[in-house]
Amino acid sequence: NGFKCHCMSESHQRQLLLASENPQQFMDYFSEEFRNDFLELLRRRFGTKRVHNNIVYNEYISHREHVHMNATQWETLTDFTKWLGREGLCKVDETPKGWYIQYIDRDPETIRRQQEQERKKKQDLDDEEKTAKFIEKQVRRGLEGKELEKPVYTELNRENEEEKVAFNLNKGASTSIAASSKTSSVLGPNALKMVEGAVKRKESSHSSGQSKEKKKKSALDEIMELEEEKKRTARTDYWLQPEIIVKIVTKKLGDKYHKKKAVVKEVIDKYTAVVKMIDSGDKLKLDQTHLETVIPAPGKKILVLNGGYRGNEGILESINEKSFSATITIDSGPLKGRRVEGIQYEDISKLA
């Protein structure tokens, strides 16, 4: 023990000597190590969420091996926070409660996923505008169809003063025709023409009423179909669910976890997941941008993560590699048994 203490004291003296010869070199080294470890903790622990800088620092210094701030170029945590904002490493803002920081993830995979989410949001907004315009058009068409034609009144003239006039109040075209045939000899040719015209007008009005009803029904059906389609394509920017299998896509954790599969055990604030590695059993806390869904083999159970069928369990029927989509059969809830086509890969994941 005495030999060890002697060796350690000599090593400590050599380090102090080297530091005294070039103090700036050691300060730069410690500053870089402090910055890298602080940002890594911020990214891994809090992702891109806005958090108080003191919370991150207290968790950082709880590890003995971490370099403390008094060995770096920054005198206070506020100075370091402002430096992070000037360098574009974090978004920083000052409040009455202190400084808050938000990590800026510049990983190319994360940026690609964010751009994909923005594109889908824009597409959903365009679909909503199209649906609103279509409904407005159908309502306007229905109002136009309700406008009634004004009746045209004509004077009733009798060509023959001796001719008798008879009125048939019975309903139905067949009754009218029978009555007209019986009284044709009494009413004469003009009266017969009047009866036949009345029958034709009644038939034409009946057929036009049926056609209008069909048009209204078809328009209503189209609106209902569009509403169902809108619900089916309703999307959110978060998709994590417990007990699904996911794949880690970030490279920042090293080859030990890259492209490995894990089970989501807990979802925090919609965007963060606590996952358990399938091979090693390690538990990690990751943002959803560092994970992707896992598509099982046909016949296996899946969970719908996004869209109108979110939360429903299902059975994977088949996959379409060209369109990156799948066909599933809903296996839970009131929609059980419904077959859904065109579900995107990222909207479903294998159940654990």
Side-chain angles (χ1 to χ4, degrees):
N1 291 335
F3 178 75
K4 287 183 179 179
C5 291
H6 178 70
C7 292
M8 290 176 65
S9 62
E10 286 185 356
S11 174
H12 183 63
Q13 289 176 359
R14 283 197 298 272
Q15 290 179 358
L16 291 175
L17 182 62
L18 291 173
S20 62
E21 291 177 355
N22 193 354
Q24 187 61 39
Q25 179 182 358
F26 276 83
M27 182 172 289
D28 292 343
Y29 172 76
F30 289 137
S31 298
E32 183 178 0
E33 186 175 353
F34 173 79
R35 179 199 67 194
N36 292 338
D37 292 343
F38 187 92
L39 288 176
E40 178 62 22
L41 174 65
L42 175 63
R43 181 194 63 79
R44 187 180 67 253
R45 176 69 175 80
F46 301 98
T48 56
K49 292 191 298 184
R50 181 173 173 269
V51 63
H52 199 286
N53 61 350
N54 206 34
I55 295 177
V56 184
Y57 183 70
N58 287 335
E59 187 167 338
Y60 172 83
I61 62 176
S62 64
H63 299 273
R64 295 189 200 174
E65 299 177 356
H66 285 167
V67 177
H68 283 233
M69 185 172 289
N70 55 10
T72 67
Q73 67 188 48
W74 301 285
E75 295 182 1
T76 63
L77 180 60
T78 301
D79 293 337
F80 177 63
T81 302
K82 292 179 180 179
W83 182 84
L84 290 175
R86 288 194 301 270
E87 294 295 319
L89 298 172
C90 294
K91 294 179 182 178
V92 300
D93 62 294
E94 186 179 12
T95 68
K97 295 183 180 180
W99 285 87
Y100 282 81
I101 57 178
Q102 185 177 1
Y103 181 71
I104 300 176
D105 196 341
R106 302 187 184 280
D107 184 45
E109 183 67 19
T110 303
I111 294 174
R112 185 191 67 79
R113 288 175 176 269
Q114 290 175 349
Q115 290 175 348
E116 183 69 16
Q117 290 176 359
E118 291 296 328
R119 184 184 67 80
K120 288 182 178 178
K121 283 183 181 179
K122 185 177 182 301
Q123 184 178 356
D124 292 341
L125 289 175
D126 293 341
D127 292 341
E128 289 181 1
E129 290 179 0
K130 289 179 181 178
T131 304
K133 288 182 180 179
F134 178 80
I135 294 175
E136 182 181 356
K137 183 179 178 181
Q138 294 297 330
V139 171
R140 190 165 56 248
R141 185 188 300 174
L143 292 176
E144 291 175 356
K146 288 182 179 180
E147 294 180 0
L148 299 176
E149 297 181 358
K150 294 182 179 180
V152 179
Y153 300 99
T154 58
E155 186 178 357
L156 180 60
N157 296 323
R158 294 177 61 184
E159 297 179 358
N160 188 359
E161 294 295 336
E162 298 179 356
E163 182 179 330
K164 293 182 181 181
V165 178
F167 296 95
N168 188 1
L169 301 179
N170 294 330
K171 297 180 180 179
S174 60
T175 309
S176 300
I177 295 172
S180 64
S181 62
K182 290 179 180 179
T183 57
S184 60
S185 59
V186 180
L187 298 177
N190 292 332
L192 183 59
K193 289 180 180 179
M194 291 173 60
V195 173
E196 290 177 351
V199 173
K200 289 181 180 179
R201 283 196 300 271
K202 188 172 183 180
E203 290 177 349
S204 62
S205 62
H206 182 67
S207 60
S208 62
Q210 286 182 343
S211 62
K212 285 183 180 179
E213 187 179 357
K214 287 181 180 178
K215 286 182 180 178
K216 288 182 181 179
K217 285 185 178 180
S218 62
L220 183 61
D221 291 341
E222 289 178 7
I223 293 173
M224 291 178 64
E225 289 176 1
L226 282 174
E227 286 298 321
E228 186 177 353
E229 180 69 14
K230 181 180 176 182
K231 290 180 181 179
R232 190 178 67 82
T233 57
R235 306 183 61 80
T236 60
D237 59 349
Y238 55 89
W239 53 268
L240 290 172
Q241 294 287 344
E243 299 304 319
I244 62 171
I245 297 178
V246 293
K247 183 186 293 184
I248 299 176
V249 294
T250 180
K251 297 180 180 178
K252 294 184 179 180
L253 300 178
D255 294 336
K256 181 180 178 181
Y257 300 115
H258 185 232
K259 294 295 183 182
K260 298 296 176 62
K261 294 179 181 178
V263 180
V264 176
K265 290 299 182 182
E266 182 183 359
V267 178
I268 303 173
D269 296 333
K270 298 181 180 180
Y271 301 94
T272 306
V274 176
V275 302
K276 182 178 181 181
M277 303 303 299
I278 293 178
D279 54 356
S280 63
D282 295 346
K283 285 190 175 182
L284 303 174
K285 190 174 184 180
L286 298 169
D287 188 80
Q288 70 172 13
T289 55
H290 298 153
L291 303 168
E292 70 176 15
T293 58
V294 174
I295 307 301
K300 299 293 184 180
K301 296 198 70 172
I302 55 92
L303 183 68
V304 183
L305 309 176
N306 217 333
Y309 301 103
R310 171 197 292 272
N312 286 297
E313 296 181 5
I315 304 296
L316 180 65
E317 298 292 341
S318 61
I319 57 176
N320 189 339
E321 297 181 356
K322 293 183 179 179
S323 61
F324 301 100
S325 63
T327 299
I328 65 170
T329 299
I330 303 298
D331 196 38
S332 65
L335 301 178
K336 184 175 181 180
R338 175 174 291 188
R339 193 169 184 267
V340 184
E341 299 179 354
I343 297 287
Q344 298 298 313
Y345 284 170
E346 59 190 17
D347 290 346
I348 59 174
S349 195
K350 183 180 179 181
L351 272 172

